[in-house]
């Protein structure tokens, strides 16, 4: 049984959906309340592919974790994704466009090896699903790319990003996801993770952060304030659009007041406590 089944909770939130609400409450509504379909971008699907390759790389014996071995995983993982999501084939108009996309993925996989040596690592968990209920009754859940545990018991949360490292003004937003995971693990296991590590495979940079209890308590307050704002929007049926540079990648401009659109009537549906999803979606690969 999941924690949501064992305990009465007031709602559930993942770092991706929390990020949606902070970016634009109307985007959260379209994704969670309206559940409007979205067409995954080539960049997001490439992120899914690279994550799959790096996850399966650690199925190999340590001495076999080479650049060549990782590259050999790309094609079979791409075929697996196409089998699971046939619509991905429509991302490319030509074979040349698809091949260029795969070449970019190969470059990201190769760049990973410049950041750390997988032959010297034995992750404790990969694609780890975690959920924890806060004292308020809010359920936190999501997938952690990798969890490393030192012989001394200290833990490190690792997340792969296929974009480029953010500037300093965007670092706090990038670290929010990691603090979210750290909070969930702390509440679940009673131990503050020793290190949060974001690995940017787009340009080969690493962002590291050492959290403490004060950080995670502040994150807990922020998450609970976000949930209170979501509940208020559900109650009032007011989901405000917030324009930003991210609007250029939004699938819902035709329905957005910021672009002259009119949202459909709000459906009689609240953010649910649906069971754990089988896997993360391409929309989560940011």
């Amino acid at each position: 049984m999941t924690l949501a089944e064992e305990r009465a909770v007031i709602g559930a939130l993942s770092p991706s959906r929390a990020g949606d609400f902070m970016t634009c409450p109307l985007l959260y509504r379209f994704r969670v309340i309206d559940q409007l379909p979205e067409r995954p971008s080539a960049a997001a699907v490439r992120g899914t592919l690279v994550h799959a390759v790096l996850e399966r790389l650690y199925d190999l014996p340590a001495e076999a974790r080479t650049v060549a071995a990782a590259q050999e995983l790309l094609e079979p993982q791409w075929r697996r994704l196409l089998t699971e999501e046939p619509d991905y084939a429509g991302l490319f108009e030509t074979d040349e466009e698809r091949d260029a996309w795969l070449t970019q993925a190969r470059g990201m996989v190769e760049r990973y090896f410049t950041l750390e040596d997988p032959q010297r690592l034995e992750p404790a968990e990969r694609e780890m699903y975690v959920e924890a209920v806060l004292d308020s009754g809010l359920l936190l859940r999501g997938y952690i790319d990798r969890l490393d545990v030192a012989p001394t018991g200290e833990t490190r949360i690792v997340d792969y990003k296929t974009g480029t490292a953010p500037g300093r003004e965007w670092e706090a937003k990038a670290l929010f996801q990691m603090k979210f995971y750290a909070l969930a693990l702390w509440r679940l296991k009673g131990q503050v993770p020793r290190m949060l590590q974001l690995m940017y495979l787009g340009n080969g940079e690493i962002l590291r952060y050492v959290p403490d209890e004060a950080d995670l308590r502040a994150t807990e307050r922020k998450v609970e304030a976000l949930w209170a704002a979501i509940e208020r929007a559900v109650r009032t049926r007011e989901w405000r659009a917030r324009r930003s540079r991210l609007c250029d990648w939004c699938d819902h401009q035709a329905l957005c007041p910021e672009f002259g659109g009119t949202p459909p009537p709000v459906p009689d549906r609240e953010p649910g406590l649906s069971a754990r999803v089988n896997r993360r979606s391409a929309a989560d690969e940011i």
Side-chain angles (χ1 to χ4, degrees):
M1 296 178 67
T2 67
L3 289 175
E5 293 168 329
E6 293 171 359
R7 296 173 58 182
V9 298
I10 61 173
L13 201 58
S14 71
S16 296
R17 300 295 77 82
D20 287 344
F21 190 84
M22 289 189 292
T23 298
C24 173
L26 185 60
L27 174 63
Y28 176 94
R29 181 205 136 173
F30 285 157
R31 285 180 167 171
V32 177
I33 307 298
D34 298 78
Q35 298 180 11
L36 299 180
E38 295 181 347
R39 184 174 183 264
S41 68
V45 176
R46 184 175 57 223
T48 301
L49 174 60
V50 172
H51 276 75
V53 168
L54 295 182
E55 179 190 2
R56 284 157 181 80
L57 177 66
Y58 284 96
D59 289 335
L60 302 175
E63 65 276 8
R65 297 171 196 156
T66 63
V67 174
Q71 302 284 20
E72 289 176 1
L73 291 169
L74 269 166
E75 287 286 351
Q77 288 306 311
W78 173 230
R79 290 195 296 270
R80 178 184 64 80
L81 289 177
L82 283 176
T83 299
E84 295 175 355
E85 300 286 350
D87 289 347
Y88 286 174
L91 290 172
F92 313 105
E93 295 183 1
T94 65
D95 290 346
E96 290 76 15
E97 186 179 337
R98 179 205 59 211
D99 292 345
W101 178 85
L102 283 170
T103 297
Q104 290 175 323
R106 289 190 183 92
M108 291 175 180
V109 169
E110 184 173 355
R111 192 170 292 119
Y112 165 73
F113 284 79
T114 69
L115 301 179
E116 63 182 3
D117 183 358
Q119 295 186 352
R120 298 170 62 88
L121 294 169
E122 291 298 339
E125 300 283 352
R126 289 169 282 148
E127 282 293 304
M128 177 187 180
Y129 179 77
V130 61
E131 58 179 34
V133 180
L134 304 180
D135 290 342
S136 64
L138 178 63
L139 173 71
L140 307 184
R141 59 186 175 192
Y143 281 91
I144 296 173
D145 287 346
R146 200 179 86 207
L147 184 70
D148 299 335
V149 179
T152 55
E154 295 176 315
T155 59
R156 176 174 64 181
I157 299 175
V158 178
D159 195 75
Y160 308 121
K161 296 295 185 186
T162 49
T164 58
R168 290 197 173 274
E169 68 274 19
W170 294 97
E171 280 188 4
K173 184 174 181 180
L175 284 170
F176 171 74
Q177 174 190 12
M178 303 299 282
K179 292 181 181 181
F180 187 107
Y181 290 139
L183 171 60
L185 281 178
W186 178 42
R187 289 309 189 197
L188 190 62
K189 299 180 180 295
Q191 179 186 16
V192 175
R194 177 69 179 83
M195 175 75 70
L196 311 179
Q197 180 169 299
L198 279 159
M199 306 183 73
Y200 288 92
L201 306 180
N203 63 346
E205 294 186 21
I206 295 178
L207 175 60
R208 295 185 177 94
Y209 186 82
V210 178
D212 57 25
E213 283 196 18
D215 276 328
L216 301 190
R217 292 187 189 279
T219 301
E220 185 169 24
R221 292 192 296 271
K222 180 173 183 176
V223 167
E224 290 177 334
L226 276 173
W227 185 254
I230 290 170
E231 286 187 317
R232 185 163 55 250
V234 169
R235 201 166 51 246
T236 63
R237 293 180 171 250
E238 292 183 8
W239 301 91
R240 296 185 179 181
R242 183 177 297 139
R243 191 160 188 158
S244 72
R245 288 184 293 176
L246 297 177
C247 293
D248 292 342
W249 291 274
C250 183
D251 281 355
H252 309 299
Q253 286 188 11
L255 299 174
C256 179
E258 290 291 319
F259 294 88
T262 301
V266 181
D268 292 324
R269 183 187 298 126
E270 296 187 8
L273 291 174
S274 56
R276 160 186 173 176
V277 294
N278 293 328
R279 56 187 173 85
R280 75 170 83 207
S281 69
D284 296 327
E285 307 292 3
I286 300 173

